[in-house]
């Protein structure tokens, strides 16, 4: 394999390791050198002629200034631990159970205006006459009813920034100072951040790209004080940390609506992304976008004025930034960088409207990984780690263009790992080859247009290619697994909001996909109570569209209405939540007759049962069952088709089943290109004449054998080495006679 | 073991087998001979000096009369199979999927008055202008919305009585005539039934007891026409079959309320006993009791006027009879007979306010059992079957008095089974010994008062010692298992309605027990949304009461309010239905420290996990866990105590755990009498002086060894033969020095 291009690679440099830095930059074809948390770049590196990225997280950069302005830190609402009254006065210790290092009660602005005391037994909010602030961070409730449970929704200020807190606690940093996150809604804070950035740009002329990590608001993360409950709540996309009196008042003024503490607290659920958002919370999010965009754009302007580019890193403090709000391009960012473990994260990045899409790969150059296992340390095998991440992410790279890749951490750690240095050179080169194919190819016309898959959730496009956080944090979410399967497949995937379908109809797609647990934002929850939504999708399928429902698709509240799944009459299956226990279940056979969905590469072993699943009609083809209940079905409905899959878990065989299901539902069973071995990916990069290149990927670290089919006809048999990548010319392949047999 | 008493035994006689009948009557101490389905008694038997039972099921006795009055059969509501509109007119075949042997559309009385057409997509009932009867049993809907789902709630008449249908289909009876059940709401039917009974009594002077099987209305049982769905719905306590236009109109007139088809149909759930009843359905039940009581009392009067006694068999056609309605004594029945497989059914019978309580034991004297396995046929072992049922039922007989036992079926079948004849003699004798102890003993005073357990459900006392049907039909119901455990234990068990507790407070009990799946009538469903209920129970426990919550106790609808379990703050555990997925779970240890609930005889292996269970506080003692979630916990609350158990499944060790849990929650850990081996029961029959007899039962068919404790002190070690029963004198036992060690 010859290295045919350079560039598109970001290397973490390290002062004191100049020779290593420049040698590896050469070897890996790096065009950019970056700093990382804990590393600096020396003048020799800064002057080496490479592009230079510098990481900044504005809200926590200037600790001295923060300490001089102790009341300007960020705030949020908390709900006190519930207390059962045993007399007619109840004293509630507001911070009981919460980390007092992270939170202090904010009792100087807006107590009467924003706090709420609930009788949680009746659901009532108590009038202000029924409670008062007590001593030492308490609230005293008067005229309580013994036996009722009371809580207080109250404001806190945060005195320790969460990422700093995590690093500090994890690494046992003792008396190292706590970083603090300032609240940019205070005009003096916003002014200070811009002035600080201006000065920083002046003082760092070598920097070509300011890499914002990210902007102003961290995802929500509540720490506890109880050894048995050290963390209370974490959600990567929650806006809990955007709250403060200035914002609450501005929201009321700008929108004419009132948002209450309970709209954020939600009886202790907070604003978890896994729950469908309320209307007022969505309005709050949009209101926050406006503010983050306004100030963020000013920051980008400062950077641009200094002749630098502005990239943004989509992880810590990304809340409010929203790459898929429809307004992201207004920031003027020059690039978006995303840390990736999985394929869906690469697709997320590639889907953002921004000039440059960059991935920060794993492993991070640290002695140990996030779970504490050795990486660049005795017992570690970083080159295998790298290749395992690479084959996972690479499946997505052949489907959507990523412009740059890179690493982060301490470069010095890789010095003893020659095989790792080789492996990085290899993947940097593979990335450049794939990128070149994207840049030179074009879809040749309608006949090869991929099947259009519309993923429908309560969030829609805002959560394009994501749920909330990483795959390893969401192993129990069917949609997370589905996204990871789709990331490596040749579909045109779009994301749609259920409420929009209710009001505007089904978008221009071939198949709709709805996947998740009942009541979740992914399945959709109350959105399915809207008959317009159900009618629109029912008609869409009846008229020839496809539907794939996964786990508890279109589920409404149990015990009401005709169906648990609002689309049960389309899917041909429904769920008994116990209220139909005495109704008999229709018997079914698992048909041994061949079905296009169940080819030899597909199987349903990765699909777990869903309780109470039942077949509604005799035209439901049960493809697989578990414990007597169907886990995979295929059903005609009018001119269309519907597929149900139970609890979906990603692996190569399940992914193939999903791929077949989507194609069958779309009435497009035969793909243009197919590997009979599901551990091998095939991606075509056609040029304008329909010729071009086919890339075949071994998605595993074991050797693989496969047959390649073109429009159902065998055109090649291949043996691929571990993690192998083979390029084939389309013109040669389709001319070649089919080999005998199948593998 | 000497046979010290005779009587209390009902033997099924058989004409042509007079010698066998009389010989076994002597051997088994039978004082009564009965007929059975398919057997007759000869004059020799009728004149033998024994009591004579004759079985009658009035509504299906006179087939000729029924055939002469073809429109007077019983009726009910059905919901048509849902149809999705694909145009603006929809034709619905009303009986599609239903058995046309069982049902005919009743379109001659009340179509416009009682039928309902629903748009199930919007939930609307269509006005009568939108639909009309079509040809051949159809309804045509006009101005339908394509994509919406429509159903019709309609009346049918039933032309085949369900028990007849079952026997006919099961035994392949070909062209044998179908029995039909007449509707006694028609005045001419009621008149005919009474006249027929009068004449029957006159013609059968030898009968001493008329055994009604039972009165007028069968439990609901819908048959299907589809080979893959041959039965649609069956519920042993549903009032679906009490509906007809006369009753519907009378209800409106008597109560001033309207009950609609949908109140019975409930979107295809019908009136399943496992769902909480609506207010109007409860009113309908009471209205039906009135009618059944009125006519039933007249039947009893006829029987009494002929100098006979009237017993009622509590199984087929028992709906409306309701032994626990509070009005049962008004019938004037002389006895109640119940077929029993399990202990809870014996407790149910014993708890009814009636002079004589009789059990019909299993096996039935048939070649095969209900599941088709051989009984009195090659390969059968009826004496083992009998003893297995006996040791199960006998545990309940030592807790509550049963006056008589008996068998049913073809006596001739037992002739070749000498060991069965022996076994029957043995159990008849054991029953008489236990009965004699009940009759001669008296509880000696408050100090031995058993712990009072109040089982709380949406049904309350009406479903005393029952759910709906037999144990084998309800294997997935925790409450069914709980009742079977309680049946053999020394508690004073009562049953209470949640709505009554909300309005009237907690009854005089020591421990409340709530067990069942969320939304079910057993857990309680919406009743738990009433703050009065939650407050009453919270205060009860806070003030020193006990609470045992099982599976999803006090569960409210997911996604609303502070808690999934309304009593979570008392129980110390709650359930995450997915809407708290990003909230961390409190860590816990499974304490190895001895807890009174977890003695050596108790274990939690029979308690299955409940999804999403989480610990709320650090004072929750986790006794057992499964897959990282607690399945058994014990928690102090105020002066009281609460226990949570997950999915409860009855066996000796789990039953001991429940017993310990109830005692601990009641603050009465040490029972007066205890067997250290949970496969052995101990029951004390104290006389007025506190002396008396202790009965020790081996509840298995294997030998058992055990130690007997009296108030915690070992007083005897025993070896019991399979199914053994030992009587010991209390005075001798408590005087005996404790043996060394424990077994």
């Amino acid at each position: 394999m010859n290295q045919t291009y350079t560039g598109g690679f970001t290397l973490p440099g390290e002062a004191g390791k100049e020779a290593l830095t420049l040698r590896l930059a050469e070897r890996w074809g790096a065009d950019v050198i970056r700093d990382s948390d804990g590393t600096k770049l020396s003048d020799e590196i800064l002057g080496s002629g490479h592009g230079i990225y510098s990481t900044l997280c504005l809200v926590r950069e200037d600790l001295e200034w923060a300490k001089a302005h102790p009341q300007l830190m960020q705030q949020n609402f908390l709900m006190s631990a519930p207390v059962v009254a045993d007399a007619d006065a109840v004293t509630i210790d507001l911070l009981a159970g919460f980390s007092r290092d992270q939170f202090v009660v904010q009792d100087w602005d807006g107590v009467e205006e924003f706090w709420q005391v609930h009788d949680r037994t009746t659901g009532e909010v108590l009038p202000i006459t029924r409670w008062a602030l007590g001593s030492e961070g308490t609230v005293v409730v008067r005229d309580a009813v013994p036996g009722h449970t009371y809580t207080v929704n109250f404001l806190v200020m945060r005195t320790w920034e969460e990422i700093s807190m995590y690093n500090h606690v994890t690494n046992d940093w003792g008396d190292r100072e706590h970083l603090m996150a300032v609240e940019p809604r205070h005009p003096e804070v916003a002014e200070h951040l811009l002035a600080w950035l201006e000065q920083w740009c002046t003082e760092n002329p070598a920097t070509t790209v300011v890499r914002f990590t990210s902007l102003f608001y961290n995802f929500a993360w509540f720490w506890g004080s109880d050894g048995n409950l050290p963390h209370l709540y974490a959600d990567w996309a929650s806006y809990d940390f955007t709250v403060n009196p200035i914002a609450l008042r501005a929201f009321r003024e700008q929108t004419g609506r009132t948002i209450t503490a309970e709209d954020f607290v939600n009886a202790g659920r907070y604003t978890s992304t896994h729950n469908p958002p309320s209307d007022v919370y969505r309005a709050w999010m949009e209101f926050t976008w406006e503010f983050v965009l306004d100030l963020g754009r000013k920051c980008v302007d400062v950077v641009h004025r200094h002749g630098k580019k502005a990239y943004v890193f989509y992880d810590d403090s990304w809340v409010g930034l929203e790459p898929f709000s429809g307004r992201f391009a207004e920031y003027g960012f020059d690039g978006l960088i995303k840390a990736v473990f999985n394929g869906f994260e690469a697709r997320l990045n590639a889907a953002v409207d921004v000039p440059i899409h960059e991935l920060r790969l794993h492993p991070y150059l640290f002695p140990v990984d996030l779970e504490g296992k050795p990486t660049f340390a005795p017992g570690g095998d970083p080159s295998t780690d790298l290749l395992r991440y690479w084959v996972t992410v690479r499946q997505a790279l052949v489907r959507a263009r990523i412009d740059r890749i890179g690493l982060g951490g301490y470069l010095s750690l890789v010095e003893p790992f020659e095989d790792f240095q080789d492996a990085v050179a290899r993947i940097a080169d593979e990335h450049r080859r794939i990128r070149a194919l994207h840049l030179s190819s074009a879809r040749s016309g309608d006949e090869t247009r991929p099947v259009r898959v519309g993923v429908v959730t309560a969030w829609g496009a805002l959560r394009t290619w994501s749920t909330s956080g990483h795959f390893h944090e969401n192993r129990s979410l069917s949609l997370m697994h589905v996204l990871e399967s789709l990331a490596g497949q040749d579909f045109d995937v779009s994301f749609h909001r259920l409420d929009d379908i209710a009001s505007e109809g089904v978008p221009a797609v071939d198949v709709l996909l709805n996947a998740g647990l009942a009541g979740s934002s992914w399945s959709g929850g109350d959105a399915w109570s809207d008959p317009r939504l159900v009618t629109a999708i029912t008609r869409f399928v009846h008229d020839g569209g496809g539907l794939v429902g996964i786990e508890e698709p279109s589920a409404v509240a149990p015990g009401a209405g005709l169906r648990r799944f609002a689309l049960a009459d389309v899917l041909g299956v429904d769920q008994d939540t116990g209220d139909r226990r005495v109704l008999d279940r229709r018997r079914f056979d698992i048909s041994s007759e061949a079905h296009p969905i169940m080819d030899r590469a597909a199987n349903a072993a990765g699909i777990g049962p869903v309780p109470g699943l039942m077949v509604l009609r005799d035209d439901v083809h049960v493809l697989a069952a578990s414990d007597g209940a169907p886990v995979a079905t295929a059903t005609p409905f009018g001119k269309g088709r519907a597929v149900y899959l139970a609890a979906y878990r990603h692996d190569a065989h399940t992914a193939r089943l999903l791929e077949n299901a989507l194609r069958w539902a779309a009435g497009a069973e035969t793909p243009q290109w197919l590997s009979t071995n599901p551990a091998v990916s095939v991606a075509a990069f056609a040029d304008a004449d329909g010729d071009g290149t086919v890339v075949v990927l071994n998605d595993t670290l074991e050797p693989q054998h496969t047959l390649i089919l073109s429009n159902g006809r065998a055109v090649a048999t291949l043996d691929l080495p571990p993690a192998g990548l083979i390029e084939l010319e389309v013109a040669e392949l389709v001319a070649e006679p089919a080999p005998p047999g199948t593998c």
Side-chain angles (χ1 to χ4, degrees), chain A:
Chain A
M1 194 183 294
N2 297 315
Q3 186 172 309
T4 49
Y5 312 91
T6 63
F9 193 90
T10 302
L11 171 140
E14 193 173 339
K17 290 287 174 178
E18 287 74 10
L20 178 71
T21 299
L22 298 176
R23 179 169 63 79
L24 288 178
E26 168 76 19
R27 184 165 176 189
W28 296 345
D31 52 350
V32 166
I33 299 177
R34 59 167 288 203
D35 60 5
S36 302
D37 274 2
T39 64
K40 295 273 178 208
L41 302 183
S42 60
D43 288 343
E44 183 180 344
I45 294 171
L46 295 174
S48 65
H50 292 86
I52 299 293
Y53 289 3
S54 298
T55 59
L56 291 183
C57 182
L58 289 179
V59 290
R60 68 184 182 213
E61 289 291 346
D62 192 349
L63 182 59
E64 291 314 307
W65 192 88
K67 283 160 66 180
H69 299 81
Q71 291 200 328
L72 302 185
M73 301 307 111
Q74 295 191 5
Q75 304 188 17
N76 59 278
F77 281 119
L78 293 180
M79 183 185 82
S80 67
V83 175
V84 181
D86 59 2
D88 60 3
V90 182
T91 301
I92 297 176
D93 177 5
L94 295 170
L95 286 177
F98 292 105
S99 164
R100 290 168 204 262
D101 289 326
Q102 185 183 15
F103 301 115
V104 295
V105 175
Q106 194 280 75
D107 57 5
W108 56 84
D109 185 13
V111 173
E112 298 200 359
E113 190 177 355
F114 300 116
W115 293 26
Q116 291 176 314
V117 178
H118 278 85
D119 178 335
R120 294 289 181 184
T121 304
T122 62
E124 289 169 292
V125 180
L126 299 194
I128 187 83
T129 54
R130 292 273 304 280
W131 60 273
L133 274 176
S135 59
E136 294 176 21
T138 63
V139 155
V140 181
V141 181
R142 284 187 282 271
D143 301 327
V145 182
H148 285 209
T149 297
Y150 295 88
T151 64
V152 184
N153 296 338
F154 61 104
L155 282 166
V156 288
M157 195 180 68
R158 296 197 309 284
T159 53
W160 197 354
E161 195 268 345
E162 294 67 37
I163 306 301
S164 158
M165 196 170 186
Y166 174 76
N167 290 331
H168 202 286
V169 171
T170 305
N171 298 315
D172 206 10
W173 279 347
D175 57 2
R176 195 195 281 199
E177 283 198 298
H178 299 177
L179 302 186
M180 297 158 83
V182 292
E183 172 51 63
R185 287 269 183 187
H186 293 289
E188 58 268 53
V189 171
E191 202 176 311
H192 176 72
L193 296 184
L194 290 169
W196 186 92
L197 179 61
E198 181 76 38
Q199 186 178 345
W200 187 94
C201 285
T202 306
E203 291 172 356
N204 291 274
T207 295
T208 58
V209 174
V210 173
R211 179 186 184 274
F212 289 103
T213 305
S214 308
L215 287 175
F216 313 122
Y217 296 114
N218 203 61
F219 57 89
W221 195 358
F222 299 174
W223 291 57
S225 64
D226 181 331
N228 282 329
L229 196 55
H231 301 103
L232 297 162
Y233 168 65
D235 187 291
W236 279 85
S238 148
Y239 279 51
D240 285 294
F241 281 2
T242 63
V243 169
N244 54 75
I246 302 172
L248 291 165
R249 291 177 188 127
F251 178 79
R252 201 163 50 208
E253 194 161 311
Q254 286 177 34
T255 68
R257 302 175 71 167
T258 297
I259 191 163
T260 68
E262 186 65 6
D263 290 317
F264 292 95
V265 162
N266 195 11
R269 290 173 190 80
Y270 299 99
T271 59
S272 164
T273 307
H274 300 286
N275 296 335
S278 66
D279 280 351
V280 73
Y281 176 62
R282 282 188 58 88
W284 177 268
M285 293 173 77
E286 291 185 22
F287 159 80
T288 303
W289 301 344
E290 193 69 44
F291 171 76
V292 173
L293 176 59
D294 184 60
L295 184 58
R297 195 158 37 194
K298 289 177 182 156
C299 296
V300 173
D301 288 348
V302 169
V303 172
H304 282 170
R305 218 171 334 101
H306 284 268
K308 304 178 192 302
K309 291 196 182 298
Y311 283 19
V312 67
F313 180 64
Y314 174 62
D315 270 296
D316 326 353
S317 292
W318 76 279
V319 162
L321 186 68
E322 294 300 355
F324 299 101
S325 68
R327 305 197 59 185
F328 183 74
E330 297 177 41
Y331 280 97
F333 280 119
D334 303 290
L336 179 82
I337 303 170
K338 173 106 191 71
V340 294
F341 295 94
N342 287 93
F344 80 91
E345 293 165 309
R347 295 297 294 268
L348 187 162
N349 186 325
V352 176
D353 181 12
V354 70
I356 297 295
H357 307 87
E358 175 165 337
L359 303 184
R360 204 210 66 217
L361 300 176
H362 283 93
Y364 205 71
L365 310 184
F366 260 17
V368 296
D369 69 9
L370 280 177
E371 289 164 1
K373 284 184 292 189
T375 310
F376 296 92
D381 181 1
S383 66
T384 298
D385 292 347
L386 178 76
L387 287 175
R388 187 164 286 127
Y389 285 119
W390 179 244
V391 294
T392 302
V393 171
R394 189 181 60 180
Q395 297 174 63
L397 300 191
V398 297
R399 305 299 175 190
R401 194 190 84 232
I402 288 292
D403 304 287
R404 307 184 52 81
I405 62 174
L407 295 169
Y410 296 89
L411 192 68
S412 54
L413 289 173
V414 314
E415 198 159 14
F417 292 90
E418 267 295 329
D419 56 343
F420 181 81
Q421 297 175 27
D422 280 347
V424 174
R426 171 184 165 177
I427 69 163
D429 188 55
E430 285 189 5
H431 168 252
R432 286 185 284 262
R433 289 167 67 189
I434 293 167
R435 184 183 59 168
L437 286 167
H438 278 293
L439 292 169
S440 65
S441 79
R443 287 282 180 184
S444 62
D446 274 342
E447 75 279 13
T448 60
R449 177 179 64 76
V451 169
R452 296 166 303 175
V453 176
V455 176
V456 297
T457 69
W459 287 110
L462 190 66
R463 295 285 166 262
T464 290
W465 286 110
S466 73
T467 58
S468 175
H470 299 292
F471 197 177
H472 59 263
E473 294 156 341
N474 290 294
R475 289 274 168 208
S476 64
L477 282 195
S478 281
L479 182 58
M480 188 86 276
H481 290 263
V482 165
L483 293 181
E484 185 60 11
S485 293
L486 290 175
Q489 298 177 346
D490 187 24
F491 293 111
D492 177 0
V493 184
S494 54
F495 294 80
H496 307 275
R497 202 171 143 223
L498 292 166
D499 288 349
D500 290 343
I501 297 177
S503 56
E504 294 156 31
V506 175
V509 298
D510 301 304
V511 189
L512 294 171
L513 186 152
N514 179 243
L517 280 176
S520 70
S521 54
W522 316 119
S523 173
D526 280 347
W528 292 106
S529 303
D530 189 334
R532 297 176 306 163
L533 174 63
V534 178
T535 308
I537 295 182
T538 302
R539 286 194 197 180
F540 166 77
V541 182
H542 190 272
D543 293 346
L547 173 67
V548 174
I550 296 179
E551 200 160 27
E552 295 174 336
S554 73
V556 295
L562 181 68
R563 304 297 192 197
R564 163 69 158 175
F565 297 163
L567 294 175
D569 286 324
V570 179
L571 292 163
V573 299
D574 201 5
Q575 182 181 31
D576 174 22
T577 57
D579 52 326
R580 292 175 190 264
R581 127 189 338 267
V582 289
L583 292 155
D584 281 29
R585 297 278 174 276
R586 183 176 292 273
R587 299 170 191 159
F588 56 84
D589 297 317
I590 299 170
S591 178
S592 56
E593 168 202 344
H595 191 284
I597 294 179
M598 298 303 284
D599 66 18
R600 273 189 286 175
N603 81 51
I607 301 187
V610 163
L613 238 288
M614 54 190 186
V615 170
L616 294 183
R617 300 192 305 267
D618 259 353
D619 62 354
V620 175
H621 192 121
V622 177
L623 305 171
S626 170
D627 284 338
V631 297
T633 66
T635 306
F637 183 76
K639 295 179 197 157
R641 292 169 172 179
V643 173
Y644 172 77
L645 305 176
Y648 184 92
R649 298 297 176 263
H650 171 72
D651 66 27
H653 293 277
T654 327
R656 179 60 64 88
L657 191 155
L658 176 66
E659 183 179 352
N660 293 346
L662 288 164
R663 291 192 186 287
W664 181 80
E669 285 90 328
T670 307
Q672 201 185 4
W673 295 97
L674 185 78
S675 157
T676 55
N677 179 344
V680 174
S681 294
V682 194
F685 294 87
D687 59 25
D689 305 323
D691 288 341
T693 305
V694 168
V695 174
V696 183
L697 306 175
N698 178 349
D699 303 327
T700 72
L701 302 192
E702 295 79 48
Q704 296 289 348
H705 177 79
T706 192
L707 195 68
I708 302 297
L709 310 185
S710 173
N711 292 311
R713 196 171 69 89
V715 293
T717 55
L718 297 173
D719 285 287
L720 292 104
L725 179 157
I726 296 177
E727 288 182 45
L728 303 166
E729 288 312 302
V730 172
E732 288 169 29
L733 271 178
V734 296
E736 187 183 315
T742 58
C743 75

